[in-house]
Amino acid sequence: MGRVHVLDHPLIQHKLSLVRDKETGAKEFRELVEEISLLMAYEVTRDLPLKEVEIETPVGKARTKVIFGKKLGIIPILRAGLGMVDGMLKLIPAAKVGHIGLYRDPETLEPVGYYCKLPPDVEERELIVIDPMLATGGSASAALNFIKQKGARSIKFVCLIAAPEGIERLRRDHEDVDIFVAAIDKCLNEHGYIVPGLGDAGDRLFGTK
Ligand code: PRP
Ligand code: URA
């Protein structure tokens, strides 16, 4: 069963409180989501393998460590996942970025796919799928299905806020995928929004409400 990691670093939690605040405007919201994503990238990459290398410092030889092993890929779920890309790329700039376009039908809450463009060597990469919100889990589960159909074998899912329903769905549908989350909230409301959550992440990022 995939593990659930709640990232309780004080900086993440502080910034998440600011992001939740309905008075936070689009500019600050975008900046905070980027900063939280950078901090989450730090935790999510904690288990990357290292190998020893020898380098020469100005003073002498040193045996030191560098990241080794599979290359990384970052896959934002459009559109709100875009808000997390730059923060992640600041820490892992060599990662390739793939995109999956999905929106949630407001009536049925079912995900509707409209775009998928992934790095060609997706099966050889460690993939980090990102979306700020995991509500029913329908979008994330569909995105992971798409990626697996394209050959992906090693995937982590990262979100800012999850509902218990979304966590349960993702763990049931994709038991090989670890979930990294900054907060697990109480429940979903009748419109499928996370309570208390932060509202509609895409609209708040892009000012479309
Ligand atoms: C939001 C969010 C997730 C999805 C979560 O996207 O960014 O992708 O809803 O809901 P779920 O877990 O119930 O599927 P939305 O459909 O609003 O699209 P957008 O990112 O284009 O705004
Ligand atoms: N999508 C969002 O943007 N917010 C929610 O609370 C649920 C789904």
Side-chain angles (χ1 to χ4, degrees), residues 4-209:
V4 181
H5 308 256
V6 179
L7 305 183
D8 58 1
H9 191 289
L11 286 173
I12 294 177
Q13 295 304 316
H14 179 83
K15 288 173 193 293
L16 189 63
S17 299
L18 299 174
V19 153
R20 287 181 188 274
D21 190 331
K22 67 178 184 189
E23 301 302 333
T24 298
K27 175 178 180 288
E28 202 187 343
F29 188 92
R30 268 196 298 273
E31 289 167 358
L32 287 162
V33 170
E34 181 177 331
E35 288 165 10
I36 294 169
S37 306
L38 183 151
L39 294 165
M40 292 185 87
Y42 178 79
E43 298 283 356
V44 170
T45 51
R46 191 174 273 288
D47 64 347
L48 287 182
L50 294 168
K51 71 169 180 185
E52 270 204 5
V53 292
E54 189 171 279
I55 56 160
E56 254 185 79
T57 77
V59 182
K61 285 191 192 328
R63 286 202 71 77
T64 57
K65 290 174 181 164
V66 294
I67 289 169
F68 168 72
K70 284 187 180 172
K71 295 184 207 140
L72 297 176
I74 298 171
I75 318 278
I77 301 177
L78 306 181
R79 135 194 90 129
L82 288 175
M84 299 176 70
V85 173
D86 287 352
M88 291 259 161
L89 279 177
K90 282 214 168 111
L91 281 201
I92 22 181
K96 292 263 163 63
V97 182
H99 295 86
I100 293 192
L102 287 175
Y103 70 89
R104 195 173 69 155
D105 184 293
E107 301 296 325
T108 65
L109 302 184
E110 288 300 317
V112 182
Y114 58 89
Y115 188 75
C116 181
K117 180 82 179 174
L118 302 177
D121 54 354
V122 83
E123 68 282 356
E124 290 161 23
R125 290 183 180 268
E126 297 231 18
L127 301 176
I128 304 174
V129 176
I130 52 178
D131 190 329
M133 310 304 278
L134 179 65
T136 64
S139 304
S141 185
L144 296 179
N145 283 335
F146 271 148
I147 297 169
K148 286 181 179 176
Q149 276 163 21
K150 302 273 181 185
R153 281 177 292 183
S154 173
I155 310 173
K156 291 171 178 165
F157 181 79
V158 184
C159 64
L160 266 52
I161 302 178
E165 294 88 332
I167 299 265
E168 199 182 311
R169 165 90 188 261
L170 212 56
R171 293 188 88 197
R172 194 177 64 235
D173 293 356
H174 298 281
E175 53 182 34
D176 54 320
V177 174
D178 276 11
I179 302 169
F180 295 77
V181 59
I184 301 175
D185 278 9
K186 210 161 78 199
C187 58
L188 296 175
N189 69 13
E190 66 275 24
H191 306 293
Y193 277 88
I194 299 174
V195 183
L198 52 72
D200 188 304
D203 284 344
R204 293 197 63 186
L205 275 166
F206 299 110
T208 45
K209 192 99 184 173

